[in-house]
Amino acid sequence: MSEREFIINTDNPNLELYDDIDDVFAQSICQNELEIPEECIKKIECYSDTFKIYLVYSRSYFSDDWYVNLQRLEYVS
């Protein structure tokens, strides 16, 4: 299966994020703030000022609101 990748910057003004992000906090942001369904998340990698979300490839979510918003958010990060 292929996957989609999105990099979210902690300095993004559209999200209220803290500088220190761990896996648990990033998972919470993905599910609560970004509303990404848990079954769509393949993995999350945290870095000092960003985190990367890997999504399981599926055409079924391409038109979902959360996916469209995620694309916009990643574009402005």
Side-chain angles (χ1 to χ4, degrees), residues 13-71:
N14 295 319
L15 293 174
E16 293 182 23
L17 302 178
Y18 303 99
D19 290 334
D20 296 328
I21 294 183
D22 62 14
D23 292 340
V24 174
F25 188 65
Q27 181 77 23
S28 175
I29 291 168
C30 288
Q31 292 176 348
N32 299 321
E33 297 283 327
L34 302 175
E35 300 178 350
I36 302 172
E38 188 174 349
E39 63 272 7
C40 295
I41 300 172
K42 184 171 182 176
K43 69 178 178 176
I44 299 171
E45 294 177 350
C46 296
Y47 303 98
S48 60
D49 61 347
T50 62
F51 64 96
K52 186 184 282 189
I53 306 165
Y54 295 87
L55 301 177
V56 175
Y57 181 84
S58 172
R59 291 179 187 256
S60 66
Y61 58 68
F62 282 3
S63 61
D64 289 353
D65 287 343
W66 68 265
Y67 184 76
V68 173
N69 291 336
L70 184 60
Q71 288 179 309

